[in-house]
Amino acid sequence: MPADATTLGSLLRELNALKGDFWIRLLYTHPAHWTDELIQTIAECKKVARYIDIPLQHIHENMLQRMRRETSQQYIVDLLARIRAGIPGIAIRTTFIVGHPGETSADFKEMLSFIERSRFERAGMFTYSHEEQTHAHTLQDTLSESEKKNRANALMEQQYDISLALNTQKIGTQQTVLFDRKESGYWVGRTESDSPEVDHEVLVKADLVTEPLQGQFKTVTIEDAGPYDL
């Protein structure tokens, strides 16, 4: 690559140098395209949120190949370890797809085990559906819709428990919150670990504050936690 070429890392550093208080958030990054430079950049740039969205879709070796994900199971495991080691305090959001043609019960169980071990801060689950102009569109379904939903529900139940445990650990801590709106007697905001309209929220009773909070960064002490809100 030429010395003057722009990389995502160099772009982030230029944005980080801009004046003002804001978060830069990376969304929908492909696991195959991560570099050590990008990890180091996020760690060194204070305005780049300690949060990444990295859709993994699956973890079983056979399914990664069938889904043409350009990665192997070991590559993903190693990448996640490098990211967590290189960026202390990082929150990782990912998504998984269940019911892709060819997914066996053993494949699914391996994904359950992987999620339990990985303890993702944020995770979404989707059932496979045929999309035109994709390779998998030509493949025949091997699972019923009810079985797909059962598998997705099992993943969500597991992630529910993980999310509740991780949020409970934040009780008593101080968190920087960016407030978005006032709703139903609460000011609603989000931490650095939460993408707007996608992830968790922080709720502060409106009668506890005397000024509008929308668009402001504030430090709050967490007093209670649920699986999706603080």
Side-chain angles (χ1 to χ4, degrees):
M1 181 179 293
D4 60 350
T6 298
T7 65
L8 180 56
S10 64
L11 174 61
L12 289 175
R13 291 183 184 277
E14 290 192 33
L15 293 172
N16 185 74
L18 297 176
K19 294 181 180 180
D21 295 327
F22 55 87
W23 283 327
I24 304 164
R25 192 176 299 278
L26 292 181
L27 300 176
Y28 215 71
T29 64
H30 196 294
H33 303 156
W34 274 76
T35 63
D36 290 336
E37 178 209 11
L38 181 55
I39 294 172
Q40 182 178 356
T41 296
I42 296 173
E44 295 176 353
C45 294
K46 294 186 180 300
K47 293 178 182 177
V48 179
R50 291 334 187 236
Y51 169 104
I52 60 166
D53 174 19
I54 182 168
L56 298 176
Q57 313 298 43
H58 218 287
I59 192 59
H60 193 280
E61 203 72 60
N62 293 339
M63 295 310 303
L64 291 172
Q65 293 178 12
R66 291 179 67 88
M67 298 167 81
R68 299 188 174 187
R69 292 298 295 163
E70 304 177 47
T71 57
S72 67
Q73 180 181 116
Q74 192 60 52
Y75 171 89
I76 291 172
V77 170
D78 292 344
L79 174 62
L80 294 176
R82 284 164 49 212
I83 290 173
R84 289 202 185 278
I87 314 171
I90 191 73
I92 299 179
R93 155 165 278 283
T94 189
T95 52
F96 293 96
I97 296 176
V98 299
H100 187 280
E103 183 186 70
T104 67
S105 176
D107 298 340
F108 172 69
K109 289 179 181 178
E110 185 164 343
M111 183 155 57
L112 272 175
S113 177
F114 170 72
I115 294 172
E116 177 63 31
R117 296 192 308 272
S118 300
R119 312 290 287 179
F120 294 106
E121 286 77 10
R122 310 287 183 262
M125 316 298 171
F126 299 94
T127 58
Y128 172 80
S129 61
H130 288 282
E131 297 289 341
E132 293 185 3
Q133 298 181 344
T134 66
H135 167 71
H137 181 67
T138 63
L139 302 177
Q140 184 175 357
D141 273 324
T142 53
L143 293 174
S144 67
E145 291 302 315
S146 61
E147 178 59 24
K148 292 178 187 178
K149 291 180 181 179
N150 288 340
R151 292 185 181 187
N153 288 339
L155 290 179
M156 287 306 299
E157 289 174 5
Q158 180 172 264
Q159 183 61 29
Y160 178 100
D161 292 339
I162 294 171
S163 181
L164 178 59
L166 293 176
N167 275 356
T168 299
Q169 292 175 6
K170 294 182 180 179
I171 295 176
T173 67
Q174 290 191 324
Q175 301 287 327
T176 299
V177 175
L178 174 58
F179 285 92
D180 294 321
R181 66 189 187 280
K182 187 177 182 181
E183 182 177 283
S184 302
Y186 290 90
W187 282 103
V188 182
R190 50 197 163 83
T191 71
E192 190 173 3
S193 300
D194 300 294
S195 186
E197 301 181 9
V198 176
D199 293 315
H200 302 180
E201 293 180 326
V202 180
L203 309 178
V204 175
K205 291 182 178 179
D207 58 10
L208 296 179
V209 296
T210 59
E211 61 175 317
L213 295 181
Q214 187 171 14
Q216 295 192 52
F217 286 96
K218 295 291 184 180
T219 300
V220 305
T221 300
I222 304 303
E223 296 182 343
D224 197 7
Y228 305 118
D229 295 321
L230 301 175

